[in-house]
Amino acid sequence: MLLRRLALFVLFGILLAACAPTVKGEADAGQVPPLESGEALGDLTTVDFCTLLDKQGLREADVSVELATSGFLRCTVEVELGMVGLSVTIGDLYWATPFVEADESRELARSVHRRHFEEEAVCWRELVFSDEVALDISVYESYGDIGGAEGDAEMCIVADLVTDGVQQAVYSGGGESMTFPEGSLDEQEPCSLLSADEVIDVLDVEDVMYEHALGGGGCSWWWWFDESYVGTDVEFGVVDLGAGAADPEAYYGDEVVGRPTRTDDFGDGQCRVETPHMIVPSEVPTELEVVSVYTYGKDDESCTAARKLAKLAWTRLPEYEG
């Protein structure tokens, strides 16, 4: 959600006045109704985005899938193409933003649009259903010889391959729903962890806009301040810590109001503070449900603001039992 909004802010300024080509695909058959997001994906709050990933198609294209983790808002995938490692996300879901012009917009069958965006550090695609719900597929550099045109080409090759598979899945209804164990974050309401007044006070802004994540599992507050956007996101997610999940306190080595916590300063005014909720009882015993607070636009104060907000949010979560 955070990365998506920040990317849109950049694109808005760059591309608003641009005219992007539209490539017409096959015309819809008159008797076939437009494809809405609910028909393609089912209940939008329980989509298992990783079931939209065509692993076989990627293998046939010499892209190896190293890790795929299903979360509340997105599927996070680590892949390798040659000597390059890439991070792929399928999701989030959000209302489409037609005022942002894509590099290419292609009309598919049943009034679905496929939009392409390419930037230096990310290559992403959108599938926009007939009800204006958009599904994001993004590819970011991870490690290897990423850089310049070569890296950009590799990111976009994988973005197209993944989107091809997702496109086939949504037309065939091939995705599945997530199921949640007892005590899961699915029983919590992310928007209840912070109030607008608390966010206004910590971010030191006069007001905030508010948004509930379309797919559930997230909440956002933001404001235009000093010619830039300032805001915070609360997200429920799933992470795979590998062998470290047997002792997550080793990974979440800090503490905020008695809960194990990790702080990641990404620079450029972006910071994430995260706490574990519970181990996911599944075939992958290294997965954890987590709660994250992202803060952006506060320059050197982002981590300070994120930790203040986390201190408030953590007190409203069930006790972490390890």
Side-chain angles (χ1 to χ4, degrees):
M1 187 188 308
L2 166 65
L3 292 174
R4 177 68 196 158
R5 183 178 300 108
L6 291 176
L8 285 175
F9 293 159
V10 173
L11 278 176
F12 179 76
I14 296 174
L15 300 174
L16 183 58
C19 294
T22 296
V23 180
K24 290 286 185 179
E26 304 231 346
D28 291 345
Q31 70 273 20
V32 180
L35 182 63
E36 295 188 353
S37 56
E39 180 184 351
L41 300 170
D43 183 349
L44 300 186
T45 64
T46 60
V47 179
D48 188 340
F49 295 100
C50 283
T51 63
L52 303 174
L53 180 68
D54 182 8
K55 294 182 180 180
Q56 180 176 346
L58 290 174
R59 284 195 298 267
E60 291 173 353
D62 295 324
V63 178
S64 62
V65 177
E66 304 299 313
L67 181 70
T69 306
S70 292
F72 292 80
L73 294 165
R74 66 190 69 91
C75 172
T76 305
V77 190
E78 298 296 328
V79 305
E80 287 186 351
L81 175 59
M83 299 298 292
V84 176
L86 299 167
S87 296
V88 180
T89 60
I90 303 173
D92 300 355
L93 293 170
Y94 51 90
W95 293 111
T97 50
F99 59 83
V100 177
E101 294 287 352
D103 296 307
E104 178 186 320
S105 180
R106 181 183 306 163
E107 186 176 354
L108 308 177
R110 301 186 64 184
S111 300
V112 176
H113 287 78
R114 175 166 168 165
R115 305 206 301 172
H116 292 201
F117 300 89
E118 298 179 14
E119 292 292 310
E120 182 178 351
V122 59
C123 192
W124 79 81
R125 308 291 183 246
E126 289 179 352
L127 291 179
V128 184
F129 299 100
S130 64
D131 55 358
E132 299 302 316
V133 172
L135 169 63
D136 179 73
I137 298 98
S138 299
V139 180
Y140 305 87
E141 60 186 64
S142 183
Y143 60 84
D145 62 350
I146 291 293
E150 182 179 358
D152 292 345
E154 288 159 336
M155 286 190 292
C156 293
I157 286 170
V158 172
D160 283 327
L161 288 169
V162 173
T163 306
D164 290 345
V166 173
Q167 181 177 314
Q168 182 177 359
V170 298
Y171 274 105
S172 62
E176 300 177 8
S177 295
M178 290 186 67
T179 56
F180 302 95
E182 183 179 353
S184 167
L185 285 168
D186 180 58
E187 301 173 5
Q188 306 293 315
E189 171 50 63
C191 296
S192 69
L193 299 183
L194 293 173
S195 71
D197 287 342
E198 290 168 337
V199 174
I200 289 169
D201 180 57
V202 172
L203 297 184
D204 192 22
V205 292
E206 62 183 78
D207 202 352
V208 287
M209 303 291 287
Y210 162 83
E211 180 185 14
H212 190 286
L214 184 58
C219 215
S220 301
W221 300 262
W222 73 95
W223 189 249
W224 179 261
F225 179 73
D226 255 354
E227 299 184 354
S228 64
Y229 278 94
V230 176
T232 191
D233 297 341
V234 172
E235 288 190 3
F236 295 165
V238 177
V239 299
D240 191 330
L241 299 184
D247 181 19
E249 286 83 357
Y251 183 77
Y252 297 96
D254 196 1
E255 186 175 289
V256 172
V257 291
R259 292 185 67 95
T261 298
R262 178 181 177 89
T263 301
D264 291 302
D265 187 346
F266 300 116
D268 297 324
Q270 302 177 53
C271 188
R272 177 181 64 199
V273 180
E274 186 173 275
T275 187
H277 172 68
M278 63 181 287
I279 295 174
V280 178
S282 68
E283 296 179 359
V284 185
T286 58
E287 291 183 348
L288 288 172
E289 285 191 4
V290 300
V291 181
S292 301
V293 172
Y294 295 87
T295 301
Y296 50 92
K298 292 293 289 180
D299 299 323
D300 295 337
E301 300 176 4
S302 278
C303 284
T304 300
R307 289 178 67 86
K308 287 181 179 178
L309 292 168
K311 185 175 181 180
L312 296 167
W314 290 185
T315 61
R316 293 156 188 162
L317 290 170
E319 183 179 353
Y320 174 66
E321 298 179 359

